[in-house]
Amino acid sequence: MERTLAADLPGKVGQRVKLEGWVHAVRKFGQVNFLILRDRSGTAQTVLDPAALEKISGLQAETVVAVEGTVEPEERATNGVEVRDASLQVISPVTDVLPFEINKRVLKPSLDVFLNNAPVGLRFPAKAATFRLFSGLLHGFREYLSGNDFVEIHTPKLMGSASEGGANVFAMDYFGKPAFLAQSPQLYKQIMVGVFERVFEIGPAFRAEEHYTVRHLNEYTSLDVEMGFISGMDDVMDLLVALIQHMVTSTAERYPREAEMVGMTVPRFATVPRLTLRDAQRLILDRYGEDHTAEPDLSPQDERWLGEWASQEHDSDFVFVTHYPTAKRAWYSKPDPADPEYSLSFDLIFKGQELVSGAQRINEYEEYLRVMEARNMNPASFSGFLEAFKYGMPPEGGFAIGSERLLMRLVGADNIRETTLFPRDVNRLEP
Ligand code: AMO
């Protein structure tokens, strides 16, 4: 008999079906034994026949089983149906007790214990739902950009030079030569503007930062975009807002059950305010009484305040901060011709936390040489990158979205490790 998925049972009332999945729970109500079976589509309630009853005593949760029975209406069950007179066949037995229960409404263990046992813990339905939403976000990212003529690229993660500056790179030995894990696809995505004008990449980024915060990982999945023939960085920011809006709304439509399970709500985009770093700092001084006007960047508290301001005054969960000091921004950011001390760069803050960094880039070869000299960088280390600019590059810009942070904010998680399948941090390299 062909396999039926739990979610398809309502369309099969009166028919005999075969389900295959995991034993999510065995529950006894009075004389009746229910086996709750879980598959990729959800859970199904089954009532075992007397012969099968013997088999379930001693059956551990997560055993892989096949159940055959008849679909009958039952309004107290999920989806309003259950499978009755079911026979049971064990496909893959489980002999050990689970490290913690994954069939309860809430997951009990601490984050650390959960992460230590992630291979089985991730089967907890709300956890699985979180990462299905992640897949939806990536799907939406690809869909929107492909639909707007962007080309997907995949660039090397083994690098001979550091794209974002040398401070926080994982160094390694590459057949006797020094090499680094890519901190971002920055240099390659800019090169590829010369080929396709519009490109994007979904890939890992490695940062050797000794952080112990709730929003930093040492390996994260970066969603990178780069586009040419822009008339200014506002074009890039407009694209970013439309892109995130599509990612989130299409995910909520594709996975309504998962969105409800984890309480994901579609954020408010009405109009995303844009203010310069200096204006943002003056606003913080006026509204919250803290003088950070001499700082080159926002602190996490500043980001929270700006998030609150955008929410209260602009009905937006997002706010752009632009024009960071050129000296403090990545070397490839374009200084503002009207005031070169500040760069044509931006961050997007989502619910009080930095989610995206982006900029218009320098697109002239000679200007790169000047910048590299001023920053004590060796052009020879970047000859491949510079070649693209030597031979004609249009005005261009782009950004990178931190995917785990996006999911973290969308589902209201307190720690980025909750929205990363197998997080890598200073203390964690396993599982
Ligand atoms: P940046 O270094 O600001 O910019 O990174 C872009 C976005 O990536 C996410 N992010 C991180 N997420 C988790 N852990 C980390 N350690 C971490 N570091 C960064 C953040 C951040 O906003 N090349 C530029 C982007 C560009 O200009 O296109 C870059 O990498 O959400």
Side-chain angles (χ1 to χ4, degrees):
M1 198 188 292
E2 240 181 67
R3 182 182 180 204
T4 298
L5 290 176
D8 296 331
L9 290 177
K12 302 216 164 177
V13 173
Q15 297 178 28
R16 269 195 86 72
V17 294
K18 178 165 91 172
L19 296 166
E20 287 177 332
W22 289 264
V23 174
H24 189 59
V26 177
R27 296 201 177 110
K28 205 171 150 111
F29 291 112
Q31 294 306 305
V32 191
N33 278 279
F34 295 102
L35 186 154
I36 311 297
L37 178 142
R38 190 186 73 244
D39 63 21
R40 66 174 192 271
S41 73
T43 56
Q45 178 165 304
T46 68
V47 186
L48 299 177
D49 69 19
L53 274 181
E54 285 176 21
K55 295 194 196 159
I56 66 164
S57 62
L59 202 67
Q60 297 280 2
E62 295 309 297
T63 300
V64 179
V65 296
V67 169
E68 269 184 54
T70 310
V71 185
E72 302 286 356
E74 171 52 67
E75 58 182 31
R76 285 166 297 181
T78 321
N79 289 334
V81 289
E82 66 182 11
V83 175
R84 292 200 192 135
D85 291 328
S87 66
L88 177 74
Q89 188 203 336
V90 172
I91 298 175
S92 309
V94 171
T95 48
D96 251 333
V97 181
L98 287 169
F100 42 79
E101 290 179 310
I102 60 169
N103 57 12
K104 294 286 184 276
R105 286 221 164 270
V106 282
L107 204 50
K108 294 252 174 65
S110 68
L111 183 58
D112 232 28
V113 171
F114 171 79
L115 291 175
N116 289 340
N117 296 281
V120 65
L122 288 167
R123 297 180 187 182
F124 179 68
K127 275 287 171 189
T130 302
F131 292 101
R132 200 179 287 250
L133 294 171
F134 188 75
S135 160
L137 292 171
L138 300 189
H139 185 98
F141 181 75
R142 282 204 170 92
E143 185 173 63
Y144 187 83
L145 292 170
S146 303
N148 282 283
D149 238 5
F150 283 76
V151 177
E152 178 161 6
I153 57 173
H154 283 272
T155 65
K157 305 304 158 205
L158 290 170
M159 307 271 289
S161 52
S163 57
E164 307 288 333
N168 54 0
V169 288
F170 285 109
M172 46 182 286
D173 173 66
Y174 192 73
F175 306 115
K177 282 189 223 128
F180 308 101
L181 289 178
Q183 297 157 294
S184 72
Q186 185 66 35
L187 306 186
Y188 292 106
K189 69 175 178 174
Q190 287 190 247
I191 291 173
M192 291 307 291
V193 168
V195 180
F196 294 126
E197 296 183 21
R198 301 176 155 207
V199 294
F200 71 92
E201 174 162 356
I202 299 175
F206 302 93
R207 302 282 170 101
E209 296 155 343
E210 263 195 84
H211 282 306
Y212 297 88
T213 77
V214 294
R215 61 182 194 165
H216 288 95
L217 298 164
N218 295 106
E219 175 177 353
Y220 66 94
T221 301
S222 183
L223 309 181
D224 274 86
V225 173
E226 199 74 10
M227 67 195 283
F229 295 99
I230 58 171
S231 53
M233 73 171 167
D234 285 294
D235 287 357
V236 182
M237 292 153 78
D238 291 344
L239 172 81
L240 172 58
V241 173
L243 170 63
I244 295 185
Q245 194 155 16
H246 178 80
M247 288 168 71
V248 178
T249 50
S250 66
T251 299
E253 277 165 23
R254 195 180 312 268
Y255 298 124
R257 187 175 73 98
E258 284 79 3
E260 199 196 315
M261 267 170 96
V262 303
M264 182 186 107
T265 50
V266 174
R268 294 165 302 154
F269 286 91
T271 45
V272 179
R274 300 177 182 193
L275 56 174
T276 66
L277 176 70
R278 290 298 173 230
D279 285 345
Q281 288 168 330
R282 277 191 281 271
L283 184 147
I284 287 166
L285 176 58
D286 292 347
R287 196 177 163 102
Y288 298 101
E290 291 243 356
D291 187 358
H292 295 169
T293 51
E295 300 296 326
D297 201 352
L298 297 172
S299 68
Q301 180 56 50
D302 292 340
E303 291 175 3
R304 284 192 285 274
W305 278 328
L306 290 174
E308 183 182 276
W309 167 80
S311 170
Q312 291 175 353
E313 305 297 329
H314 291 270
D315 198 30
S316 171
D317 288 319
F318 297 87
V319 45
F320 276 112
V321 179
T322 66
H323 297 84
Y324 288 81
T326 303
K328 289 288 171 185
R329 212 57 185 191
W331 54 276
Y332 44 77
S333 314
K334 189 172 172 63
D336 184 354
D339 183 1
E341 253 191 63
Y342 295 92
S343 57
L344 297 176
S345 57
F346 61 84
D347 277 4
L348 180 65
I349 295 169
F350 175 31
K351 294 191 174 172
Q353 179 176 285
E354 179 200 318
L355 172 67
V356 184
S357 281
Q360 178 165 351
R361 323 296 186 186
I362 296 171
N363 65 308
E364 275 164 20
Y365 177 67
E366 300 295 337
E367 193 175 352
Y368 270 120
L369 293 185
R370 284 196 297 277
V371 164
M372 288 183 159
E373 195 184 343
R375 294 201 186 218
N376 272 326
M377 293 165 67
N378 180 6
S381 307
F382 297 91
S383 56
F385 174 74
L386 290 171
E387 181 172 316
F389 290 84
K390 204 183 217 173
Y391 296 110
M393 188 66 83
E396 59 104 350
F399 53 81
I401 306 172
S403 61
E404 296 85 353
R405 285 193 190 175
L406 175 60
L407 185 62
M408 177 184 174
R409 277 298 183 248
L410 286 173
V411 305
D414 298 325
N415 192 317
I416 196 167
R417 290 162 186 77
E418 292 174 49
T419 52
T420 309
L421 275 179
F422 301 105
R424 292 290 177 260
D425 64 28
V426 176
N427 297 315
R428 185 173 289 282
L429 202 51
E430 293 285 342

